[in-house]
Amino acid sequence: MINIEQLNFIRKTVTKYLMEDYLPFPVNKETCYEWANGLNIKKGGSTILYTGCSYQLAELGKKFDEILPLLPKFKSIEKFSPLAKIFLKPKNERVNKILRNVASILRKAEVDFGYLYEEEPYSGTILLELGMLDEFREYAKKLVNFFNSHEVKKIITVDPHTHYTLFRIKEMLDWNVDIVNYFQLLKNVKIKGEGTYVFHDSCLYSRFLGMRDLIREVIVSSGIILKENELVTGKETSMCCGSPLAPINKEISEKIAKTRAEALKSVSSKVLLACPFCYANLSPYVESYDFAEVVKVE
Amino acid sequence: MSDWDIAIKRGVEHNVPRVFNVLREHPYLEELARKVREGKLEVLSNLDYYIEMTMKSVEKIGGKAYFAENSQQAREIVGKIVGTGKRVVLGKSMVAYETGIRKYLQSLGNEVWETDLGELLIQLADEPPSHIIAPAVHMTRERIRELIKEKLGVDPGDKHEDIVKVAREFLRQKFLTADIGITGANAVAADSGSIVLVENEGNIRMSSVVPPVHISITGVEKILPNLEYALYEALVQAAYAGLYPPTYINVTSGPSSTGDVEQKRVSPAHGPKEFHLILVDNGRRKANEDSILREALLCIRCGRCHFHCPVYRALDGKWGDPPYSGPMGAMWSAIVYNDYKPALLCSHAGNCREVCPMKINIPKVLEYLKWKYFNGR
Ligand code: SF4
């Protein structure tokens, strides 16, 4: 059920890549920042929009999970790395659209923010979520130094995993920074959405970060109609999409996704969500949309 | 859909709304749960003291108390009391499963029967249990019919009621002729030496009252400071397990007794003439020294976290080392079997933490166990 060789490979390689390159696996950096091209977001600043390359890597992560069982067979990651850089370079227009939309929503809300472009680091989520806490702490120190050296005082996150990870880093280390999620900044902006959906809560937003009601308020005030069912969308009953288990066991991860998709479909055929990993795991089984791809700012 | 998928879907659909309803209808239960947590923490913060107090209290009321360091000691103690060639009836006890009591007693030449219906099915199929409250939750009605037909030689038919009837007839005869009854304990009251057991089937009453000897085997973490708290524990366990009010709560304080002749309390009366309590450690005290793992000792085995866990539901009930399954099982596999691997499968959905009556931060404990795994601790 658990392939330890695979886990050890992740532990070794992901840590090595993070420590060297601020990304969990070899990937063309443009993949992470191409969404911002042409938007004239200033580089850096004390308040930054921080994607953690999460949306951009989610689909890629799925491909990585697929080839993961094969990877420990490579004698060294160096042999794998040039190969990976070639085929792990997706062009993801959907993701670019989501991130552009988040940026324009924030601008409309008159939030002043910068972006780190090619320098933007990954958060370390995978190490934290797999329980590789020593390696995570080591990387977290590097990350804190990085942000401090860039004089970052406030970080605006766009996905639950990155948000939660920064929150945990703050808990572990002495880090004077303000972490806020983009949903928390939307009070003064009129967002327009339409259609009827069932909302698939991100476990982290809903149960670990206390943002369940806030997100629902934002969605509903946009005009979107949400269908609820106590046994499917309740705080205690809404289930994980299975994504965090993909690096451990792809079959279990997919089984959880299928079961979740079936439950959601019983409430509404269209699913709205707000997490790139939920999207990656659920979208093969149900019509899924990210909140930031279905709404517009007025 | 596999048999498991069908069975667990039916189980969840029956159980989850029922627990929500119970909690809505009886709001005092949340307060009782809070008190039970408080009481358990009080004991854990002074565990050796409370173990000693419990043992003294049991002796004071005419029972015998034992402390077992590990499974082997627990088996030896039970083996000495039971001997050989006896008929033994067992009320569902996870600690009895953990310590391998049934198979050990069988190996000594005893006839041993599980009397909880789910557990009996597990015994007949010779399979590990898949849920702490409903050990046979992985079996569909159709499979159970076949199993009973094959093992007991009677076709019970397809109806739930008829399946239960066949089991009842089979077990009744075992209860009435048993030499020894073995049960667990939902809670043990340190001040009085009483054990509290909660059930619905009536099998625990029969196992603890009809045979002339009653043995209770349980973990040291089941101790509560006094009988008041121990009774609360039974109510809370029943409610969060979904069957409330429970059909029966049993309090056993030593062997049977009467005060009817001139008000002098004498023992035995009609029930057992002997009562034995075995308190098992098996990793619990070590876990108690660890401030994060200690939380897991608060578990009252209601099984609610299982039904809310996406991983448990996807894994055919095979998550954790039997009898400890599901989110609580991933914690308990580490405590009693030193197995940290099940924790690796936690997807940190967090539903378990939301529904746990003891407010155990299960994802945090499991994250910690993952860390321990990677560090070879
Ligand atoms: S961990 Fe909590 S919810 Fe799970 S069985 Fe124990 S008490 Fe019940």
Side-chain angles (χ1 to χ4, degrees), chain A residues 1-2 4 11 129-131 133-134 168 203 207-208 230 235-236 238-240 245 248 252 255-256, chain B residues 5 24 308 310 313-315 341 344-345 347-349 351 353-355 367 370-371 373-375:
Chain A
M1 212 173 334
I2 301 171
I4 291 302
R11 192 178 173 199
E129 295 184 0
L130 290 176
L133 297 184
D134 286 344
R168 291 294 302 275
C203 295
R207 287 179 286 273
F208 290 80
E230 195 193 12
K235 188 176 182 192
E236 301 91 344
S238 69
M239 291 274 149
C240 175
L245 281 184
I248 297 205
I252 301 171
K255 184 168 181 200
I256 294 174
Chain B
D5 292 328
R24 264 193 291 262
H308 289 260
R313 281 162 63 164
L315 277 181
K341 250 181 154 185
L344 297 176
L345 286 165
S347 73
H348 58 79
N351 304 63
R353 188 186 60 182
E354 296 298 321
V355 299
E367 179 190 271
K370 289 179 191 183
W371 171 75
Y373 175 84
F374 285 118
N375 285 282

Side-chain angles (χ1 to χ4, degrees), chain B residues 88-90 111-115 120 123-124 170-171 174:
Chain B
V88 181
V89 283
L90 267 167
E111 181 190 332
V112 189
W113 290 103
E114 297 282 359
T115 62
L120 175 68
Q123 178 177 4
L124 294 178
F170 173 78
L171 284 175
K174 307 289 175 201

